[in-house]
Amino acid sequence: MMNDIRVRYAPSPTGHLHIGNARAAIFNYLFARSQNGKFIIRVEDTDQKRNVEGGEYNQLEYLKWLGVDWDESVDVGGDYGPYRQMERLDLYKEHWQALLDKDLAYKCYCTEEELEESREEQLARGEMPRYSGKCRHLASDEQERLEAEGRKPSIRFRVPQNKTYSFDDIVKETVSFDSNGIGDFVIVKKDGIPTYNFAVVIDDHLMAISHVLRGEDHISNTPKQLMIYEAFDWAPPVFGHTTLIVNEQRKKLSKRDESIVQFIEQYSELGYLPEALFNFISLLGWSPKGEEEIFTREELINIFDSERLSTSPAVFDPMKLAWLNNHYIKEANLDTVVNLALPHLVKAGKLPEKLSGEQEAWVRELIALYQKELQYGSEIVELTELFFRDDITYNEEAMAILNEEQVPEVLKTFSEELQSLEVWTPEDIKKKIKATQKATAQKGKKLFMPIRVATTGQMHGPELPQSIALLGKDTVVSRLNDLVQSLEK
C-alpha cells in the first residue's frame, strides 16, 4: 500500500487561503501528479476556537480557482474518510487508549497555573521549558483522588530518554533530534480533542500517506511524530520541509506585512489570472532546470522534481508576479481580459452594470488598447481615467510642450481636419495626422506630442489614433478648439 504515492494538504479552516498554504498545496499537487499518485485534502478542524465560518469553503474554492484538483476530500469522498478530523474522534480515541494500555502514554492532571509556574521556574534557572514529569508516575489511587477533586486529565506521550531521532529529509537531508530535549507532550487535551502531533500521525498512517511535504516551521514537530510512529510500530512517511517564504528584506513573510498581498482571494479580486499565480507560486522555493520561468500547469507537472526544492528561503517578489501576470494577460484572448478588467470599471462607477451594445463595443476597444501594459485587472481604472473625465488639467511639463511656437498651428489644423471626418475610426484619424503633418511641415515630436498632450493630457500612452477614436469626435474637437483659443490669447 505504501508503495503508492499518496500526499496530502491539510488546512485548518481558521481563515482564508494564504500564499504559504497555497504553495504547500501546489507542491504536494505537483508531486502527486508528476508521480501518477494521489492528492488528498484533509481538513484539520480540531482547533474549534480558531475555526471561522466559511474557512473550509474558502480554502477549497480558491484552490479550485488556482487550477488545483484533488482525488479525495470532504467534497469528493474517498476510501480513507472521513476527511474532517472532528469526524474521526472515535479513531483517535481507539489509538490513544492503546497507548495508555501499553503505558506509552499517561494521564496528566496538572492545571494551567501549575504548568505556568513550573515553566517560569525553569526559565529562572536558565533551562529550556518542558514538562517536568510531575504526573509521569502517578499511582491509580492518586489519579482517583485528583479526579474526585474535579480535575480533568490531559493525556501525555511518554517520551523515551537518551534516544536520537533522525530522518532523511528531501530538502534538509539528514536531520537529528535528541529526545532529552523534548518533554512529555500532550496528545489529547482535557476536552478530549487530540492535539496536532497525535492526530496527524494517525491520519497520515490510516490514509496511507507516503510523503509529507510541508513548511520548515513544522520540522520541530517531526521528532514527536516519529515517536508516535515508533510507538505503534508503523513506518513513517518520507518528509520534506520546504524553506520559508521571505519578503524583499529577507524577513519571514508575516500576515501583518501589508506591503505584500498575501491571500489568494485578494489576488482574484484584484484581477490576477489564476494561471499566472499558479506559475508564480510554483517557483517560490522550487526551480526547474534552465532559465525558463513561464510554464503551464501541465508543463509544471511534467518537469516537477522534488530534488530541486530549494534549500534557501524563497523571496516573494511582487514586481516579478506583476510581470508574470502581465505576460499572461498579453497572451490571453480579449474576452478573458475584458472579464478581468470590466468589473473594476463598473465597481469604480465608470460604467453602469448593464451596458448597451454600443457601450460594450466601446469598452472592449478601450480594454484592448491597454491589454499589453495591464498588470492586473483593477489597474484598468487608473490607466483609463482620461476617458472618463470631461476636463483636462495640464501640468507644468505638459504646458511646456503646448507653449512651443508651432503648437497653435498644429492643433488648429488638426481640429479642422478632424471636423471634416465623416467616419470616425483609428485608420481615418491616422490619415488626418499625416494630413496635418503635410499642411504644417511639422513632424516627429513637434507634431505628435502637442496632439497627444492636447487630446489626452498625457505625455505618454497607448496608440494615439486609437486613443483619439475612443475619446470621441465631439470631446476631441472641443478640447482642441478650447486649447487653441487659450493659447492665442
Side-chain angles (χ1 to χ4, degrees):
M1 180 167 63
M2 288 297 286
N3 292 329
D4 296 329
I5 299 294
R6 288 176 56 82
V7 298
R8 48 72 172 177
Y9 167 61
S12 298
T14 55
H16 294 182
L17 180 60
H18 184 262
I19 200 89
N21 292 336
R23 184 185 70 160
I26 286 174
F27 280 174
N28 277 282
Y29 168 78
L30 290 174
F31 180 71
R33 294 291 177 259
S34 69
Q35 301 293 317
N36 293 316
K38 300 292 185 183
F39 176 53
I40 296 96
I41 292 183
R42 181 176 72 228
V43 179
E44 297 187 343
D45 58 349
T46 55
D47 194 345
Q48 296 287 289
K49 291 180 181 178
R50 294 183 61 228
N51 292 348
V52 299
E53 186 176 354
E56 178 184 302
Y57 173 83
N58 189 278
Q59 291 276 337
L60 300 182
E61 191 67 16
Y62 282 95
L63 283 175
K64 291 175 186 174
W65 179 80
L66 282 169
V68 176
D69 59 89
W70 43 90
D71 302 289
E72 301 169 28
S73 189
V74 294
D75 57 339
V76 296
D79 296 333
Y80 295 83
Y83 293 93
R84 290 187 188 91
Q85 286 188 329
M86 288 301 291
E87 297 172 4
R88 299 172 63 82
L89 294 181
D90 288 345
L91 289 170
Y92 304 135
K93 186 174 183 179
E94 173 188 332
H95 286 85
W96 81 58
Q97 187 59 53
L99 293 181
L100 287 171
D101 292 344
K102 292 191 288 185
D103 199 31
L104 296 175
Y106 61 91
K107 294 180 179 180
C108 173
Y109 295 87
C110 294
T111 65
E112 293 298 325
E113 292 75 19
E114 290 170 338
L115 292 171
E116 181 59 28
E117 183 180 349
S118 174
R119 181 178 183 278
E120 289 176 358
E121 289 173 355
Q122 289 173 327
L123 287 172
R125 294 194 298 266
E127 299 173 0
M128 183 68 71
R130 59 175 181 156
Y131 182 60
S132 65
K134 181 178 179 180
C135 295
R136 213 171 200 262
H137 303 293
L138 285 181
S140 57
D141 59 339
E142 182 65 11
Q143 290 185 7
E144 290 173 5
R145 183 185 69 77
L146 290 168
E147 289 187 16
E149 290 180 7
R151 293 201 188 194
K152 289 187 176 181
S154 60
I155 299 175
R156 289 185 182 271
F157 183 80
R158 202 180 290 278
V159 172
Q161 301 299 299
N162 306 314
K163 187 164 186 177
T164 298
Y165 285 86
S166 298
F167 61 96
D168 292 323
D169 191 278
I170 293 172
V171 181
K172 308 288 184 183
E173 298 183 345
T174 302
V175 182
S176 298
F177 289 87
D178 182 351
S179 68
N180 292 333
I182 303 170
D184 294 350
F185 55 93
V186 175
I187 59 173
V188 185
K189 293 177 287 187
K190 294 179 188 295
D191 60 3
I193 303 297
T195 60
Y196 166 76
N197 280 314
F198 179 72
V200 73
V201 171
I202 307 306
D203 290 341
D204 284 347
H205 176 74
L206 295 181
M207 292 183 179
I209 300 301
S210 63
H211 294 72
V212 172
L213 295 179
R214 57 190 181 189
E216 68 175 23
D217 51 328
H218 280 288
I219 203 162
S220 61
N221 290 320
T222 310
K224 295 178 181 179
Q225 293 167 19
L226 289 174
M227 292 174 192
I228 295 172
Y229 278 107
E230 181 182 66
F232 287 111
D233 198 24
W234 295 340
V238 176
F239 291 99
H241 291 88
T242 56
T243 56
L244 297 174
I245 301 175
V246 297
N247 61 21
E248 292 175 288
Q249 288 72 47
R250 302 301 193 271
K251 292 183 179 180
K252 181 182 177 181
L253 201 61
S254 164
K255 291 180 181 179
R256 293 183 295 274
D257 184 352
E258 296 181 358
S259 67
I260 294 176
V261 177
Q262 297 194 34
F263 294 95
I264 303 303
E265 183 176 358
Q266 292 173 293
Y267 283 104
S268 172
E269 290 172 351
L270 283 169
Y272 280 77
L273 286 169
E275 302 93 328
L277 208 55
F278 187 101
N279 190 162
F280 176 77
I281 293 172
S282 299
L283 302 179
L284 280 177
W286 175 83
S287 60
K289 294 178 180 178
E291 301 297 320
E292 183 61 52
E293 292 187 297
I294 297 172
F295 301 98
T296 65
R297 182 181 58 162
E298 290 71 24
E299 288 170 338
L300 285 164
I301 289 171
N302 290 333
I303 64 175
F304 187 81
D305 180 358
S306 61
E307 298 295 323
R308 295 189 64 82
L309 287 165
S310 176
T311 57
S312 302
V315 180
F316 190 103
D317 183 351
M319 296 299 293
K320 181 177 179 180
L321 175 55
W323 167 80
L324 196 61
N325 200 59
N326 171 251
H327 169 83
Y328 277 85
I329 287 176
K330 285 191 289 189
E331 296 295 314
N333 62 55
L334 182 56
D335 285 341
T336 297
V337 183
V338 170
N339 289 336
L340 205 65
L342 177 57
H344 297 283
L345 291 170
V346 173
K347 184 179 178 181
K350 305 297 183 182
L351 292 167
E353 288 190 19
K354 188 169 181 62
L355 301 178
S356 66
E358 185 178 347
Q359 286 173 320
E360 191 173 326
W362 179 82
V363 78
R364 282 179 65 85
E365 289 185 35
L366 179 66
I367 293 171
L369 187 62
Y370 287 92
Q371 181 172 352
K372 289 185 178 179
E373 60 185 286
L374 195 63
Q375 294 183 320
Y376 49 90
S378 65
E379 199 177 33
I380 196 70
V381 177
E382 183 179 350
L383 288 173
T384 61
E385 194 267 338
L386 74 98
F387 293 92
F388 297 97
R389 66 185 183 206
D390 296 325
D391 300 319
I392 295 178
T393 300
Y394 299 103
N395 61 25
E396 188 176 335
E397 192 178 9
M399 287 309 301
I401 297 290
L402 296 175
N403 284 326
E404 291 177 4
E405 183 180 2
Q406 84 287 0
V407 170
E409 180 188 12
V410 168
L411 298 185
K412 188 174 182 179
T413 303
F414 186 51
S415 175
E416 291 170 352
E417 291 288 346
L418 290 180
Q419 289 179 63
S420 68
L421 266 182
E422 294 184 4
V423 180
W424 189 257
T425 66
E427 293 75 20
D428 290 297
I429 292 167
K430 188 173 183 179
K431 291 176 184 177
K432 292 304 182 182
I433 294 174
K434 288 186 177 181
T436 302
Q437 176 182 340
K438 185 175 181 180
T440 62
Q442 300 294 337
K443 59 183 180 179
K445 287 187 177 181
K446 294 289 185 180
L447 173 72
F448 289 100
M449 286 301 286
I451 292 176
R452 179 178 290 280
V453 171
T455 55
T456 69
Q458 298 179 344
M459 304 285 291
H460 310 283
E463 293 292 330
L464 185 56
Q466 282 86 342
S467 297
I468 292 173
L470 286 167
L471 282 166
K473 184 174 181 178
D474 291 343
T475 296
V476 171
V477 171
S478 176
R479 286 180 182 177
L480 289 170
N481 290 343
D482 289 347
L483 193 52
V484 169
Q485 287 181 18
S486 67
L487 292 174
E488 288 180 340
K489 287 182 180 177

